Amino acid sequence: MLFGSVTVLIGVSSDVRTTVGFAVLAPVFLVWLTWYGLRQRGVLRDMARALWEGSGPEPAHR
């Protein structure tokens, strides 16, 4: 919604080339952001799994 509003405002206040460039850049950025976020979520899940599996029994507290 934010990128759509900004694209419309750029379209009203700027030339066609800038508007088309931003209209292409905005969805590409959103796709990249989503892909990278999912990738990092998987990395964090793998790290948590490795820590959980390698932890072994809890040490006794004195």
Side-chain angles (χ1 to χ4, degrees):
M1 178 116 177
L2 174 67
F3 284 110
S5 301
V6 171
T7 302
V8 169
L9 290 173
I10 287 176
V12 170
S13 63
S14 191
D15 61 342
V16 175
R17 183 177 176 187
T18 304
T19 305
V20 170
F22 193 82
V24 169
L25 181 66
V28 168
F29 174 72
L30 289 174
V31 168
W32 173 81
L33 189 64
T34 304
W35 171 78
Y36 193 73
L38 290 173
R39 181 175 169 226
Q40 290 303 312
R41 186 174 171 187
V43 168
L44 288 173
R45 186 178 52 239
D46 293 343
M47 289 170 54
R49 185 180 306 124
L51 287 172
W52 183 260
E53 290 172 356
S55 64
E58 297 230 4
H61 295 285
R62 294 186 203 190

